[in-house]
Amino acid sequence: MEWLLNLGYPGLFLGTFLAGTVLPMSSDVLLVGMLAAGADPVACLLLAAVGNWLGAMTSYWLGWFAKWEWLERGFKVHPETLEKQKTRVDRFGVWLAPFFWAPVIGVVFMIALGFYRVRPRMTALMALAGSFARFLFWILLQEAFFGGA
C-alpha cells in the first residue's frame, strides 16, 4: 500500500475505493498514513469517506445485477439458502449498510443489500454516514493522541 501513500490524496481516494469493494485492503491504514505524513484531516475525511462509499456502492450494484441462477450454478448456493438469507437481510435492511467496512462481512452486506434490492437511496445514505463516522473516528483518535501531524 506504500505506492498508494506515495500518490498522496489521489492514492487515498483510490485505496479507499478499492477497500470498499471485494479487495482485501485496509483503508484505515491509508488514512492514518496520510495523517501521519501531515495531510489535511478535512481533505482526508472527505476523500476517504467518499472513496470508500463509492467502493461499497460498487459492491451494492454488483449484487443488484447478480442473478439467482449465477449463484446457484457458479457458487452452488441452494435456493433455500438464498431465501433464508433474504429473511435476515429483510430483518435488518438498510441498517446493515453503515457497517459495510467491517472486514469480510461488510462487503457481503452490501452485495446482499443490492441482491435483494433493498432501498437504494436509503442504503446509499446509510453507507455514506457509516463511512464518514468511521474515518472521523480515526481522525479524532489521531488528533487526541498525537495532536495533529
Side-chain angles (χ1 to χ4, degrees):
M1 281 198 295
E2 188 175 327
W3 67 274
L4 288 169
L5 282 173
N6 290 335
L7 291 176
Y9 293 120
L12 176 64
F13 181 84
L14 177 62
T16 56
F17 172 82
L18 293 173
T21 65
V22 296
L23 296 177
M25 295 180 63
S26 176
S27 53
D28 304 319
V29 171
L30 283 173
L31 176 72
V32 170
M34 287 290 293
L35 294 171
D40 177 41
V42 174
C44 285
L45 174 62
L46 293 174
L47 289 169
V50 171
N52 205 229
W53 171 73
L54 287 172
M57 292 311 297
T58 300
S59 296
Y60 176 88
W61 290 110
L62 284 173
W64 183 280
F65 291 111
K67 304 272 187 248
W68 288 73
E69 301 82 41
W70 298 350
L71 295 174
E72 290 173 17
R73 255 184 312 174
F75 297 100
K76 307 293 185 231
V77 177
H78 300 289
E80 304 83 40
T81 304
L82 292 173
E83 287 297 330
K84 187 174 167 184
Q85 295 306 323
K86 182 175 182 350
T87 303
R88 289 185 180 144
V89 170
D90 287 345
R91 180 176 174 203
F92 297 104
V94 296
W95 293 104
L96 294 171
F99 303 101
F100 76 85
W101 49 266
V104 182
I105 62 168
V107 73
V108 173
F109 288 167
M110 290 308 289
I111 291 172
L113 288 168
F115 184 75
Y116 296 115
R117 302 197 186 312
V118 175
R119 302 167 30 201
R121 287 186 183 137
M122 195 60 173
T123 298
L125 182 63
M126 296 297 282
L128 185 60
S131 186
F132 267 98
R134 170 196 191 178
F135 293 115
L136 181 61
F137 167 79
W138 285 109
I139 290 170
L140 293 175
L141 190 66
Q142 190 267 349
E143 288 287 325
F145 281 98
F146 302 106

